[in-house]
Amino acid sequence: MKTLLISGPGVTPYEVVIGRGLLSQAQTFLGPYIGAGRVVVVSDETVAALHGPALMAALGAADILADLVTVPPGEGSKSMPELSSLLDRMLGLGLDRRSTVVALGGGVVGDLAGLAAALFMRGIPVIQAPTTLLAQVDSSVGGKTAIDTAWGKNLIGTFHHPRRVLADLGVLETLPDRQMRAGAAEILKAAMLADDAFFDWLEANIAGVVARDPAALEHAIGRSVEIKAEIVAEDPTEKGRRALLNLGHTFAHALEAEAGFLDDSVLHGEAVALGCVLAFRLSERLGRVPAQAVRRVERLTALAGLPTEIEALGLFEPDALIARMAGDKKAEGGVPVLILADAIGHAEVVRDVAPAELRAVLQ
């Protein structure tokens, strides 16, 4: 088991606990972080069927009064109607300012439940219990919560840091292989932007990570969370260096928005993986990185079973993607803000990239 501390200016310090069997030990790992009020466990219907009974039984054994509320699985639940419905159910259950939300699920549930907790009676605590690899290494850590709109991804949200994060490696045994590969994208991203030695390690070990090798998985998750923790501690609300964590995401969010949020035709991790490849190709085109670095990024992405070409995710018009990028929440005055690489393990924020340069890597 590994425990990592997340802190920073304006952030109440909290721990990310990485290990096996954490959800079934609620008295130890959750009890001290839950107040005297009621608890609502928010999950999607699929995860609730798999892991809800064990968590609810553990909470009950610890004499914690809890209710389970479910939403439909998939990105479509990160929506205003589902947020409104969840808040209404929380009110109907009699939750108050002493209550706690536990988000049991992947990034969709974590974002939706976290935002509901932030809004409910001007903010109640949330505990993140991520059940996907992507959520364990990225979305459950750092306090970002949001829902999607027809205008784009994650455009309505706030920062609401969790009281604790429980990354139970055992739940990954039930995760579909495609979701494991998608989660690996955020691990690759962490190495690409901040740790060339970790990138070297992944070149030799990514197959073990995706195959759920216990030692490889624990190291990869732990190092990814460490990288994010270091950056979040320096910049909790994304006023500076934290923006680097968006490597590949401007491209990814455009691809997801164009594909639509109502099915799983494009998973977030798949879009992020391709987005990172595109960011490195654009970096090469602008003379920032050598071709050798781009080829290494492409090879590692392919080794993880992730897409390296746009056609793998569908047919997209370059100009439509560029328009989506101009409406991304990181854009400034309709101009996309990109995270580009100087080398494997080092990136920076870049503005004013000409549309023609974007179009060249999107064709």
Side-chain angles (χ1 to χ4, degrees):
M1 190 176 74
K2 178 179 292 188
T3 301
L4 302 171
L5 183 68
I6 309 294
S7 63
V11 176
T12 300
Y14 61 94
E15 294 176 333
V16 179
V17 185
I18 303 167
R20 291 181 178 272
L22 305 180
L23 294 183
S24 62
Q25 301 177 60
Q27 187 169 4
T28 299
F29 294 106
L30 287 182
Y33 301 89
I34 291 174
R38 298 176 68 93
V39 171
V40 61
V41 176
V42 181
S43 190
D44 71 42
E45 294 156 358
T46 302
V47 173
L50 290 168
H51 305 296
L55 176 58
M56 297 303 288
L59 291 171
D63 295 323
I64 296 171
L65 185 61
D67 294 284
L68 177 64
V69 171
T70 62
V71 300
E75 187 76 21
S77 284
K78 278 181 56 171
S79 67
M80 190 63 77
E82 286 296 338
L83 175 64
S84 178
S85 174
L86 175 56
L87 289 167
D88 190 61
R89 283 182 281 178
M90 290 165 64
L91 289 166
L93 288 169
L95 271 65
D96 57 30
R97 290 180 176 176
R98 302 171 303 160
S99 300
T100 301
V101 174
V102 176
L104 176 68
V108 168
V109 166
D111 267 8
L112 178 67
L115 182 55
L119 294 172
F120 190 83
M121 296 189 179
R122 298 193 176 93
I124 61 174
V126 62
I127 292 172
Q128 293 283 352
T131 60
T132 66
L133 179 58
L134 189 147
Q136 290 187 0
V137 300
D138 186 66
S139 61
S140 66
V141 180
K144 284 187 177 182
T145 70
I147 57 172
D148 305 330
T149 76
W151 296 96
K153 188 177 173 72
N154 295 336
L155 293 181
I156 297 176
T158 189
F159 288 95
H160 190 58
H161 288 270
R163 182 163 285 182
R164 195 169 224 217
V165 178
L166 293 186
D168 190 333
L169 303 184
V171 303
L172 298 180
E173 297 299 328
T174 64
L175 194 66
D177 290 345
R178 184 185 176 198
Q179 291 281 357
M180 280 295 295
R181 294 192 295 270
E186 291 286 358
I187 295 174
L188 303 187
K189 180 206 75 176
M192 290 176 196
L193 71 91
D195 191 342
D196 57 342
F198 184 35
F199 190 95
D200 295 344
W201 182 89
L202 286 169
E203 287 180 310
N205 293 280
I206 190 60
V209 173
V210 175
R212 300 175 176 83
D213 174 77
L217 199 55
E218 183 169 337
H219 177 74
I221 293 173
R223 182 60 191 133
S224 299
V225 173
E226 285 174 348
I227 290 169
K228 185 162 189 179
E230 292 163 4
I231 294 173
V232 168
E234 181 180 324
D235 180 21
T237 56
E238 201 170 301
K239 303 297 185 185
R241 188 167 178 246
R242 183 169 177 170
L244 299 181
L245 293 170
N246 290 311
L247 176 67
H249 281 61
T250 302
F251 290 106
H253 290 171
L255 289 162
E256 290 177 275
E258 276 297 288
F261 299 124
L262 299 181
D263 58 35
D264 290 334
S265 59
V266 176
L267 297 181
H268 178 62
E270 294 168 342
V272 167
L274 178 57
C276 288
V277 170
L278 294 173
F280 267 81
R281 287 177 181 162
L282 181 57
S283 298
E284 178 190 8
R285 182 174 179 84
L286 297 177
R288 303 175 64 90
V289 296
Q292 180 186 16
V294 181
R295 303 294 90 77
R296 288 182 68 195
V297 166
E298 291 170 339
R299 283 195 298 271
L300 181 56
T301 304
L303 279 173
L306 290 162
T308 61
E309 301 296 337
I310 292 178
E311 292 76 13
L313 297 185
L315 299 176
F316 299 91
E317 289 293 330
D319 286 342
L321 293 174
I322 292 170
R324 290 284 189 181
M325 293 166 74
D328 186 83
K329 67 180 185 297
K330 299 178 293 300
E332 297 174 355
V335 177
V337 175
L338 298 161
I339 311 302
L340 298 181
D342 293 327
I344 290 174
H346 189 271
E348 64 179 34
V349 177
V350 176
R351 296 172 173 82
D352 299 329
V353 175
E357 301 291 356
L358 293 172
R359 194 172 293 109
V361 300
L362 291 172
Q363 290 176 334

